[in-house]
Every structure is written in structure tokens, then in C-alpha cells.
DNA sequence: CGAGCGATTGAAAAGACTCAACCACCGTGG
DNA sequence: CCACGGTGGTTGAGTCTTTTCAATCGCTCG
């Protein structure tokens, strides 16, 4: 279905937009935005943009999940963020005028709209609300990452796993978490084997249920207390 | 000296400004900026702003170093950044309209100018170059933090120490690094004891020289290769 | 039905942390 | 001027977490 449906996506009918940075537009602006965008279909595992390449615009997720990650020296991925419908990805590097320092890849089949750099910058120039929204968003993410850094530095893998699962609960809208063990490990920042052992612990403690790949969170409260704070 | 000198600080004579976000102003703008600012003296260890308090403006460092840190659940600090002369600190939380998620504290005696929230936002509103500079800065820091996260997740303490020392080499303008062992450990993200042991290793390997508190980097190249990348 | 990749388990080793004790430097007050 | 107390720095030993490596299992897709 999704393979074709991207042809019918518009800003006007975009579900994600309501909760996004682009939610305040009047219908004229919306039409303008809509006419400067092109929707594409991305297959699971397909790259949205590559670490090291130059930004040509921004990507607005209409449907699906996209992981934002960085490769360490040994090639191991560290997942920095998982973006869902409504989120715009790839605009940070655009502002720095440097190549992407992170990569983005579809975690599942996605429909994603592209807005060219010029168009997007013009939009920002003429639209103070969008501008403020973006600045606010950048600032929020900075705070999130300060948190992330602190967690990485001070928490055990078990605590970080709990913390990560809480994030994923939100990303997956309380539906079962559906990620490869490797991606999960790369988000938590641990070895895949360690992650698997800890998942088993959580299962034994009745915090989660596991269906091969899918993880159901049973006891959210418990996760909160393990994650600390 | 410094105790009095803050009374004579102006935007016009501020050394740091040249390399800062506020470097492109014409003399009229500079005068305007200057008249909306107040310079204060901060003693070593004095708080610039507190985690949890509400931003009332921004702090522009005229002289000295300021650590930006976050407390983990057990109260241990994680240093996120060390800001030096010319840097503006505390504007991120201002944009989110939420309390500070990090704290800031003088690492040495400092002179720091304060610009009120309203004034600073007005300045941004009327000055597109400043605005773009800020957005660019926020984006750059996001990329830096993605790096930081990846380092934390994937590098050994030894590698992180090398990486951190390279950052500090810049912060201290290639002068000896002068931080408490605890602060250093809290920047690297490790226990103080572990940090001390690793410093000794570096010393034994001829990479650094230690004078009680001060650390001289002898072999920058070596640090680069240990840090990886 | 077989190949192959992702998931899982086990055992051993390494890295880092904790705790406890000790040292050294610095400023204070007698 | 020196003894004192305190903080920050250093060292050692033991422990625990986490990683690594190797091997096995079991889906899923062609």
C-alpha cells in the first residue's frame, strides 16, 4: 500500500503535521509549503541521508520511523535519536553549512517529504513563528542531549536500558517495541549480547514480554524506577 | 585586579567579542548592546546560574572559564562543556521557556556581562545575522553533543581522557590544563581514582607532565592517536 | 529445503568502580 | 614561626559489570 500512497500525501492531509514544527500555518502558507515539497517512499533500511554528505534540504516524516545515528571509530553505530511522523530531520547540518555529522536511515517503510534548502530557509525568513519554533526545538534537543550524555556517563547499562525503553515507548506510541537487537543495543550504547541478557532479566522480572523481535512493556512504573529520576 | 576591572568592561573593549556571536555589529549597534548590559565579577566556584532556576537573560563571558554541567541521580556532576571568553552561556534554556536543565559555575575568577532576556530577544529580532549565528551555533553544538554521546558509549576511559585533553588544550589556549581532578573526572565521565591512574600512565608514557594540579601536554600527536579519529 | 542472518548462550578476560587508607599541600590561628 | 586541620590528591586491593569471542540455535526468505 505504502509504496503507492506517497503520491497522495499533501501537507494538508499530513497527519504528523499537527504536532510538528509546521503546525501553525494558515491555508495559504500551507498551500505554498505543499507546492514546494516532494514526497518519497523509503524502504526499510534505506538511507535518508548519509553521514558526510552535504545537505540539500530537509526531510519531513509523513509516516514511519527514522533512526539518526553516528558511527564510532570501529564502525559501530550509536543511535542518537529515533524520529517519528511529524518530525523534520536533517535541518541541523543545513544551518552549519557543513556535511552531515550523522546519518539517517528508515527503520521501517516510510513516506517522507523533501523540502529544498532554499525553500525552507525562505520559509523561515518569512515566518517568525516557524523560526522561533526551530530555535526552541534546537534548544530542547540540546537539553535532551546533555541528559543523554549524563546518562551514558553515570548510569549502568541496566539503567540505560530502562531509560531507553521509556523513550521507545513514546516513539512506538505504546505499541510493542519493534527494533532489531542490534539497533536496541546501539541506542542503549552496549554490546548486543549484554543487551540480550538484560532483556532476559527484565522478562524474568515481569517487566516486559518478548515475542521474538517485539517487546511489550508490562510494567512501565518499574522501568521508571530502574531508570532513576 | 579583576575584582575592580569589571567596572571598566565595555562591549567595545571586550577581547572575547571578536571571535564570538556578537562580532559583526556596527558601532551604533555595539553602543546599543553596551548600554543594555551589566558586567559582574564572579569568584572561583561561584554559580552563574543554577540548574532548575528560570532564565532571566544571557551571560557573556568577558574573562575566565565557566563549566556547564548536569547532576546525575546520585548528585555526581557531568561536565557538558567548558565555556571561555567570548562565549555566551545560558541562552538555550531561554528559548525553551523552561528552567535551566544544566548549571553554570565559574572555574576561576571571571568577569561576565549580563544581558536581559527582553533585550537579547529584541536584538535577535532586529538582527538577522545574529539570529543566523545563533541557529548555527545551536546546530554546531548539537553535532558536538552527538559526538560526545558516541564517545561516551563506545570509547574506553583512556580514549575519552585523551579526547577530553584535546578539548581542554583548546579551552586553555595551549597553556597548562588547570582543573581539579574531580572536575577533570567529571568531564571525562569516570571516577576520580581512575582518572588519576590514567594520568599517571600518560605521564609515564611521556605524553604529559604534571605539576601537582597543572597538566602540561607534551605530545599532542600522541593524544590524537589515542583519542582515535 | 537450504542458506544466512539475527538472536541467544556460555565462559573467560578486561576494564572500571568502590572503599579504605594514606599523603601532601595550604591557609589558619595560636 | 610552627602546629593543626582540612581538602584535594594518590595508592592499593578486591569486586563487579561489561565486553569479547566462540559456538549454537532458529527464524525467514528465496
Amino acid at each position: 500500500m505504502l509504496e503507492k500512497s506517497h503520491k497522495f500525501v499533501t501537507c494538508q492531509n499530513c497527519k504528523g503535521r499537527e504536532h510538528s514544527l509546521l503546525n501553525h500555518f494558515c491555508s495559504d502558507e500551507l498551500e505554498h509549503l505543499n507546492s514546494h515539497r516532494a514526497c518519497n517512499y523509503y524502504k526499510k533500511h534505506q538511507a535518508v541521508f548519509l553521514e558526510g554528505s552535504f545537505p540539500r534540504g530537509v526531510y519531513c516524516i509523513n509516516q514511519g520511523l527514522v533512526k539518526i545515528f553516528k558511527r564510532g571509530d570501529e564502525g559501530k553505530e550509536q543511535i542518537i535519536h529515533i524520529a517519528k511522523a511529524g518530525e523534520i530531520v536533517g535541518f541541523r547540518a543545513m544551518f552549519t553549512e557543513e556535511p552531515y555529522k550523522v546519518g539517517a536511515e528508515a527503520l521501517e517503510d516510510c513516506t517522507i517529504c523533501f523540502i529544498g534548502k532554499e525553500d525552507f530557509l525562505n520559509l523561515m525568513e518569512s515566518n517568525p513563528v516557524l523560526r522561533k519554533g526551530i530555535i526552541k526545538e534546537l534548544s530542547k534537543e540540546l537539553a535532551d542531549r546533555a541528559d543523554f550524555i549524563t546518562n551514558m556517563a553515570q548510569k549502568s547499562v541496566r539503567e540505560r536500558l530502562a531509560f531507553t525503553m521509556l523513550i521507545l515507548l513514546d516513539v512506538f506510541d505504546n505499541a510493542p517495541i519493534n527494533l532489531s537487537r542490534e539497533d536496541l543495543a546501539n541506542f542503549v550504547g552496549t554490546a548486543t549480547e549484554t543487551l540480550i541478557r538484560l532483556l532476559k532479566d527484565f522478562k524474568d522480572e515481569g517487566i516486559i514480554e518478548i515475542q521474538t523481535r517485539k517487546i511489550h512493556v508490562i510494567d512501565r512504573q518499574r522501568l521508571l524506577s530502574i531508570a532513576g529520576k
Side-chain angles (χ1 to χ4, degrees), chain A:
Chain A
M1 314 293 96
L2 205 51
E3 286 85 354
K4 309 290 177 186
S5 69
H6 71 277
K7 296 185 177 159
F8 306 109
V9 170
T10 64
C11 291
Q12 288 85 353
N13 71 16
C14 174
K15 288 283 198 297
R17 195 180 52 76
E18 294 157 34
H19 307 287
S20 87
L21 282 171
L22 307 171
N23 69 342
H24 63 281
F25 289 138
C26 69
S27 64
D28 273 5
E29 290 174 317
L30 213 52
E31 182 44 43
H32 181 257
L33 176 61
N34 190 51
S35 66
H36 286 80
R37 140 217 86 77
C39 195
N40 286 108
Y41 170 73
Y42 290 79
K43 237 185 156 42
K44 183 173 179 168
H45 294 140
Q46 191 177 340
V48 179
F49 55 80
L50 296 171
E51 190 171 347
S53 68
F54 275 89
R56 297 177 303 106
V58 301
Y59 301 85
C60 187
I61 304 175
N62 172 73
Q63 195 172 133
L65 296 177
V66 172
K67 70 174 169 186
I68 309 294
F69 62 94
K70 188 165 179 68
R71 274 183 203 290
D73 299 345
E74 267 95 76
K76 184 177 163 72
E77 284 180 13
Q78 175 60 42
I79 296 182
I80 306 292
H81 177 68
I82 295 181
K84 56 180 181 172
E87 283 189 61
I88 302 176
V89 300
F91 60 83
R92 293 149 200 86
M94 205 176 70
F95 297 132
T96 66
E97 293 162 39
E98 285 172 10
Y100 288 117
K101 293 265 168 54
V102 295
E105 184 183 308
L107 280 174
E108 50 189 44
D109 292 357
C110 291
T111 49
I112 302 177
C113 295
F114 177 81
I115 304 169
K117 182 172 171 172
E118 283 307 309
D119 292 327
F120 193 77
L121 291 179
N122 287 339
L123 207 59
M124 276 182 65
E125 205 52 51
S126 65
N127 193 318
V129 181
L130 174 60
R131 218 157 58 207
K132 279 177 197 150
I134 293 217
I135 291 178
K136 196 167 176 172
E137 175 65 21
L138 291 171
S139 304
K140 277 219 174 98
E141 283 184 32
L142 270 170
D144 284 348
R145 289 191 188 179
D147 239 41
F148 204 156
I149 291 167
T150 309
N151 282 344
M152 280 295 180
Q154 299 189 4
K155 285 191 201 292
S156 67
V157 176
R158 180 183 161 89
E159 291 168 317
R160 297 206 307 265
L161 174 57
F163 189 86
T164 303
M165 301 239 289
L166 289 167
I167 293 173
L168 291 174
L169 221 41
D170 175 59
V171 168
F172 284 92
D173 275 318
N174 294 310
I177 294 166
N178 185 8
L179 273 185
S180 74
R181 295 293 186 258
E182 193 178 353
D183 277 337
L184 197 42
N186 289 343
F187 202 2
V188 173
T190 188
T192 308
E193 296 93 326
T194 305
L195 175 105
I196 287 168
R197 286 180 241 269
L198 288 171
L199 279 182
K200 187 186 216 165
D201 289 350
F202 280 10
K203 197 186 75 176
D204 291 347
E205 295 171 41
I207 300 170
I208 58 172
E209 275 174 8
I210 297 179
Q211 291 176 359
T212 53
R213 187 182 150 105
K214 282 182 184 141
I215 301 168
H216 299 250
V217 173
I218 309 293
D219 191 344
R220 188 171 180 285
Q221 213 50 43
R222 197 67 208 297
L223 284 181
L224 272 168
S225 98
I226 294 172
K229 251 193 299 199

